[in-house]
Amino acid sequence: MVFMQYASDPIVFYDPASLWRAPAWMREPTAPDVSPEIEFLPVVTQFQLAMDMALSKAVPEGFGHNYLAEDYIDAWIAVTSPEGWAETDIARLKAWCGLQWGLGCRN
């Protein structure tokens, strides 16, 4: 089983208790794509997280809830272990599913 998530994805890390308590991800060292300026303030943080969730697709690809097709490839390879696949095959598939083709792989 593989869990795929970006550290800056407010949807996968949402916790209703953040209304009164700092979420676990705020009590740990933050990931590189999470602002080091973030701090917990009761009620205010809940409002900020709600806004982040509403806008989580309006961020650059590879951040927030804006997942890249090419990132799914590593997860699928980890789960399926395709027989006979070399790094060149993986690179070719990632190029086939690159950002230039939009949200998915080209047809």
Side-chain angles (χ1 to χ4, degrees):
M1 183 182 315
V2 171
F3 289 95
M4 187 177 144
Q5 60 195 37
Y6 293 138
S8 58
D9 186 345
I11 293 174
V12 298
F13 290 106
Y14 178 73
D15 180 2
S18 64
L19 183 64
W20 63 85
R21 181 180 64 228
W25 62 267
M26 289 182 82
R27 294 190 299 264
E28 302 166 353
T30 56
D33 57 345
V34 175
S35 171
E37 303 297 318
I38 195 162
E39 63 181 87
F40 176 74
L41 297 168
V43 180
V44 173
T45 297
Q46 176 75 8
F47 176 73
Q48 291 171 324
L49 295 174
M51 291 303 298
D52 282 350
M53 287 192 304
L55 301 172
S56 65
K57 292 285 285 176
V59 296
E61 291 87 358
F63 296 93
H65 203 67
N66 204 358
Y67 290 85
L68 296 175
E70 63 186 80
D71 289 339
Y72 284 95
I73 293 168
D74 292 327
W76 276 110
I77 289 170
V79 171
T80 61
S81 300
E83 193 173 312
W85 273 59
E87 289 297 321
T88 55
D89 298 316
I90 297 167
R92 195 174 68 232
L93 181 58
K94 284 184 177 186
W96 187 264
C97 298
L99 283 176
Q100 68 272 26
W101 307 110
L103 296 177
C105 300
R106 59 182 154 164
N107 295 330

